Amino acid sequence: MLNKSIISFFLLLFATCSFAGNRGKEQPKYLWFDAEANFERFASKDSISYYLEKAKSVGFNQVVVDVKPIYGEVLYKSKILPPLTTVNGKVIHRDWDYLQYFISEARRLGLKVTVSTAMFPSGHPATREGLVYDEPRWNGKTCLEYTPGGKMLDIREDKKKVGAFLNPVRKDVRKFALSIVREIVKNYDVDAYALDYCRYPGDDSDFSIDSQKAFERYLGKKIQNFPDDIFTWNTDGTKKPGIYYKEWWAFRANVITSFVKEVRKEIHSINKKVELEYWAASWIHGIYGQGQNWASPKSDFSLNYPWGSEAYNESGFAPYLDTFLCGTYLERIYGMNDPESIEYGIDRAQRLVGNDCKVFGTIYALNHKANIADAVSLCLEKSEGLMVFDIVQVIEMNLWDGIRKGIERAEAQK
């Protein structure tokens, strides 16, 4: 039998090793590479290699590669979608695989890779470019807006919208979106998949007959006056709730949550090691109209708002994520009592998500030309990881040194 002194020695050794292992564990630090903003910059392999090396040199250990922006065309070898060759009048034809080159170079440098796609946008209304303008098979499948004047408008005709969204309630649209996820995960060695624009475009859409029928199935009854029984527009642009007002927002949140659940199932049927991530704004109360309930279904936050309900709370999709990329794209950094601060946004997300998934603080670099180090260090100190959007802003404002300082400061606190 071992004597007490030997047992004590081994217990102390185990505790010391465990502490050292935890202390040495590196936090994820992401840099986002937007497809549209960097379309011309990354037309050459040399440029990609240079900026991946630059990212690693300041402390990033993972990159997010956007390969399907709002046009619905892509920057990888696809049998489903056409290649993205034109952005803002600039035409680039690549005879090499953009995503694969990013992955190969990232592996050479010891960087992990998250791939990101805009899930439902498939065209650019301002310029009428993209998939839904080029292919008539998408007619009737884009979102229909219920305008303050009471008229219905195809989102493809609304030049104010950031993207022409396909209707996420339609089975064929969801099947199409899932096929994109499946193609990427099957063919590329990625560490994670980030869902972007995985939502409705806004509270004014979709109000098509497809959505009406789906909502009636959700309610278990016919609606006599659609969309008036949901809400009508006041002359000042605010909403006057109808009899199914709260049910409508819960229904839409369920549409998005059920899709997120399907994506997770699809990814893990191919590769269980690929994590699912989701970016959304941290101000969750302001995005209910987009169907984005990133909270835990155990949270009751929505009851504090006139649109909230128990059914809305139950729609939370945090359990289906590995990581919530908390969009704290705010100018102010500190302030636990300031709803407009990054610190507050991260804390709120952690409270609403609970233990359902990890939470990373994410920052919009353009907001922090003078204080990027503070924003970076706070995200790493207060959350489980960091994402900086976007590399184009980091380059143009020369924020590399500030980011490095912020990372070093946070790591010194560990």
Side-chain angles (χ1 to χ4, degrees):
M1 182 179 290
L2 294 173
N3 63 39
K4 289 183 180 180
S5 61
I6 295 175
I7 293 172
S8 298
F9 169 78
F10 279 109
L11 287 174
L12 178 61
L13 179 64
F14 176 77
T16 303
C17 291
S18 297
F19 176 75
N22 290 334
R23 182 179 57 190
K25 188 175 181 181
E26 189 177 8
Q27 286 178 281
K29 297 176 285 288
Y30 294 16
L31 179 58
W32 193 291
F33 287 67
D34 183 77
E36 186 175 357
N38 298 286
F39 183 67
E40 187 174 359
R41 175 174 283 110
F42 298 136
S44 74
K45 293 180 178 179
D46 286 347
S47 182
I48 292 172
S49 298
Y50 174 82
Y51 283 109
L52 284 175
E53 290 169 1
K54 187 75 171 175
K56 177 168 177 126
S57 73
V58 301
F60 288 108
N61 53 25
Q62 190 149 342
V63 292
V64 184
V65 186
D66 172 22
V67 296
K68 179 182 176 287
I70 60 170
Y71 299 89
E73 298 158 340
V74 297
L75 291 169
Y76 67 92
K77 297 296 184 182
S78 175
K79 294 181 179 179
I80 301 169
L81 293 166
L84 179 67
T85 59
T86 307
V87 171
N88 295 325
K90 181 66 178 179
V91 180
I92 295 172
H93 293 280
R94 295 172 174 85
D95 60 359
W96 46 279
D97 191 327
Y98 180 90
L99 175 57
Q100 186 55 56
Y101 190 78
F102 260 101
I103 293 170
S104 298
E105 285 296 274
R107 298 297 181 231
R108 176 178 69 84
L109 295 166
L111 298 168
K112 290 186 175 182
V113 177
T114 292
V115 65
S116 177
T117 57
M119 296 312 301
F120 295 117
S122 295
H124 192 274
T127 59
R128 296 185 61 82
E129 294 176 297
L131 201 67
V132 296
Y133 297 99
D134 297 338
E135 299 181 9
R137 68 181 175 124
W138 299 112
N139 292 345
K141 298 177 184 179
T142 49
C143 284
L144 195 63
E145 298 177 1
Y146 171 36
T147 70
K151 295 181 180 180
M152 296 294 178
L153 177 67
D154 188 324
I155 195 170
R156 292 181 296 183
E157 307 304 320
D158 188 348
K159 292 187 176 182
K160 296 179 181 178
K161 285 293 189 285
V162 67
F165 282 61
L166 296 172
N167 184 1
V169 83
R170 289 182 59 103
K171 290 182 180 179
D172 53 356
V173 167
R174 294 162 75 96
K175 183 178 179 181
F176 168 72
L178 284 171
S179 73
I180 297 166
V181 174
R182 182 165 55 251
E183 182 177 56
I184 291 174
V185 176
K186 274 189 173 182
N187 296 330
Y188 294 92
D189 176 27
V190 297
D191 298 285
Y193 198 116
L195 303 179
D196 198 18
Y197 290 102
C198 183
R199 57 175 176 83
Y200 284 94
D203 58 4
D204 57 359
S205 61
D206 174 77
F207 283 84
S208 66
I209 188 66
D210 298 306
S211 291
Q212 179 182 346
K213 289 179 178 179
F215 185 44
E216 288 174 339
R217 289 194 295 272
Y218 174 83
L219 289 175
K221 65 177 76 173
K222 291 286 185 180
I223 301 173
Q224 297 302 314
N225 300 295
F226 183 89
D228 290 6
D229 282 347
I230 296 168
F231 68 83
T232 53
W233 291 105
N234 295 316
T235 55
D236 63 356
T238 58
K239 305 182 199 73
K240 181 180 180 181
I243 58 177
Y244 299 122
Y245 186 70
K246 292 187 177 184
E247 290 85 350
W248 176 250
W249 307 118
F251 155 71
R252 287 157 59 88
N254 272 286
V255 168
I256 300 304
T257 293
S258 64
F259 180 74
V260 173
K261 184 178 180 180
E262 288 179 44
V263 171
R264 184 177 184 85
K265 182 179 179 181
E266 189 69 45
I267 289 174
H268 285 182
S269 71
I270 302 165
N271 188 344
K272 290 185 178 179
K273 293 182 179 179
V274 176
E275 295 196 344
L276 180 60
E277 304 175 342
Y278 188 108
W279 184 93
S282 62
W283 42 94
I284 191 169
H285 60 289
I287 56 176
Y288 72 94
Q290 299 171 358
Q292 290 183 289
N293 183 5
W294 47 256
S296 168
K298 293 175 283 191
S299 169
D300 62 357
F301 84 96
S302 84
L303 300 182
N304 296 315
Y305 302 96
W307 46 266
S309 64
E310 291 288 357
Y312 189 93
N313 288 334
E314 291 167 4
S315 73
F317 57 70
Y320 307 118
L321 305 178
D322 291 289
T323 303
F324 172 53
L325 300 172
C326 178
T328 44
Y329 287 8
L330 301 160
E331 293 183 8
R332 296 198 287 275
I333 298 172
Y334 304 106
M336 284 296 289
N337 296 315
D338 179 2
E340 297 298 318
S341 76
I342 294 174
E343 188 173 22
Y344 181 96
I346 290 173
D347 180 72
R348 173 173 52 193
Q350 290 169 332
R351 284 186 281 109
L352 297 188
V353 164
N355 295 320
D356 286 0
C357 68
K358 293 172 287 188
V359 173
F360 291 2
T362 78
I363 58 176
Y364 192 66
L366 192 62
N367 289 335
H368 303 291
K369 185 175 182 179
N371 57 13
I372 191 79
D374 292 339
V376 164
S377 63
L378 181 126
C379 285
L380 289 170
E381 290 165 19
K382 297 292 185 176
S383 77
E384 294 178 76
L386 163 75
M387 189 277 281
V388 177
F389 184 95
D390 167 78
I391 188 172
V392 66
Q393 300 168 3
V394 175
I395 294 169
E396 291 178 356
M397 295 190 294
N398 193 23
L399 299 176
W400 300 106
D401 192 50
I403 291 170
R404 178 185 57 78
K405 289 178 179 177
I407 290 173
E408 289 176 351
R409 185 193 306 170
E411 291 178 343
Q413 302 297 319
K414 300 299 180 183

